[in-house]
């Protein structure tokens, strides 16, 4: 019984990634996850800034906070674009999504 169980456990695949993935494929997967995460974070930041701006009414401090948040989202997107351009310049053949 124990031998049969050990043979069954030996055939179990423990990795969530296919065995034939190269390091390049793994890096592309990680880069895609980061890109989609950045896009989701940027959209969420713009939505939050818009809600803050719409609900500010006469509160100038909240309007300033909303504008600052929107400005920070734009700075983050620009920083990502610069990082992506530098990666394309450093990596031979470029980085493709």
């Amino acid at each position: 019984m124990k031998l049969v169980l050990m043979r069954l456990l030996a055939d179990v695949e423990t990795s969530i990634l296919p065995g034939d993935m190269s390091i390049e494929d793994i890096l592309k997967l990680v880069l895609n996850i980061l890109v989609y995460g950045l896009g989701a974070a940027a959209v969420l930041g713009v939505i939050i800034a818009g809600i803050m701006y719409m609900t500010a009414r006469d509160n100038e401090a909240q309007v300033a906070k909303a504008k600052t948040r929107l400005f920070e989202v734009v700075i983050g997107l620009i920083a990502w674009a610069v990082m992506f351009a530098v990666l394309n310049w450093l990596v031979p053949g470029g980085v493709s999504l």
Side-chain angles (χ1 to χ4, degrees), residues 67-87:
K67 287 181 179 179
T68 302
R69 181 179 297 265
L70 189 59
F71 183 69
E72 289 170 353
V73 168
V74 170
I75 293 293
L77 288 173
I78 291 171
W80 176 83
V82 168
M83 182 267 320
F84 192 74
V86 168
L87 276 176

Side-chain angles (χ1 to χ4, degrees), residues 23-33 94-97:
I23 189 70
E24 181 180 339
D25 295 334
I26 294 172
L27 289 175
K28 284 182 182 180
L29 177 68
V30 169
L31 187 61
N32 278 332
I33 291 171
V95 179
S96 63
L97 299 175

Side-chain angles (χ1 to χ4, degrees), residues 8-85:
L8 285 174
L9 289 176
D11 293 337
V12 173
E13 187 74 29
T14 58
S15 176
I16 60 172
L17 297 174
D20 61 345
M21 282 188 80
S22 66
I23 189 70
E24 181 180 339
D25 295 334
I26 294 172
L27 289 175
K28 284 182 182 180
L29 177 68
V30 169
L31 187 61
N32 278 332
I33 291 171
L34 290 176
V35 166
Y36 290 131
L38 175 86
V43 168
L44 185 65
V46 169
I47 289 171
I48 291 172
I51 291 172
M52 286 174 64
Y53 190 80
M54 287 188 306
T55 59
R57 297 192 182 200
D58 293 335
N59 188 353
E60 291 181 19
Q62 190 170 355
V63 170
K65 283 183 187 178
K67 287 181 179 179
T68 302
R69 181 179 297 265
L70 189 59
F71 183 69
E72 289 170 353
V73 168
V74 170
I75 293 293
L77 288 173
I78 291 171
W80 176 83
V82 168
M83 182 267 320
F84 192 74

